[in-house]
Amino acid sequence: MLSIFLLIPLSLMLFVVAIWAVRYAVKSNQFEDLDNASQHIILDDRQERRQTMQAHEQSAASTQTNSTIATDTANNDKLANGENPFDNDIDDNLKP
């Protein structure tokens, strides 16, 4: 009988603490967006990867443009000298 006098107030205090914890969680927006919070981590990684890929593609495109301009300039110089600008390309492809 003596244990009931201890257990009942203890269980009531535990119940009040549980109610306060749930109310605090609701007021601090802990249950606001349960579905999308776990997906934000994955989406952030995808966005970072997409941005780095776009940066690499832009740098590769600018490098390719610069090499194309250099090749066109060299070919124009060969044409001006009366040479075939594609002779070296054929020889380079035949080398092992």
Side-chain angles (χ1 to χ4, degrees), residues 19-82:
I19 294 295
W20 175 82
V22 169
R23 186 172 179 163
Y24 175 78
V26 169
K27 283 192 173 198
S28 64
N29 297 326
Q30 294 291 322
F31 303 112
E32 188 67 29
D33 189 11
L34 295 177
D35 295 332
N36 293 332
S38 61
Q39 295 175 0
H40 283 297
I41 297 170
I42 297 170
L43 293 176
D44 288 342
D45 287 343
R46 286 183 183 169
Q47 288 174 353
E48 288 177 18
R49 190 177 334 131
R50 189 175 299 129
Q51 289 173 352
T52 55
M53 288 175 63
Q54 286 175 351
H56 287 298
E57 287 174 0
Q58 288 175 354
S59 65
S62 66
T63 304
Q64 184 179 10
T65 302
N66 291 341
S67 66
T68 303
I69 291 171
T71 304
D72 288 345
T73 305
N75 289 341
N76 288 338
D77 291 342
K78 287 182 180 181
L79 283 174
N81 293 335

Side-chain angles (χ1 to χ4, degrees), residues 2-19:
L2 185 61
S3 63
I4 289 184
F5 291 124
L6 177 68
L7 291 176
I8 290 176
L10 191 62
S11 64
L12 288 176
M13 282 192 289
L14 185 62
F15 179 72
V16 169
V17 168
I19 294 295

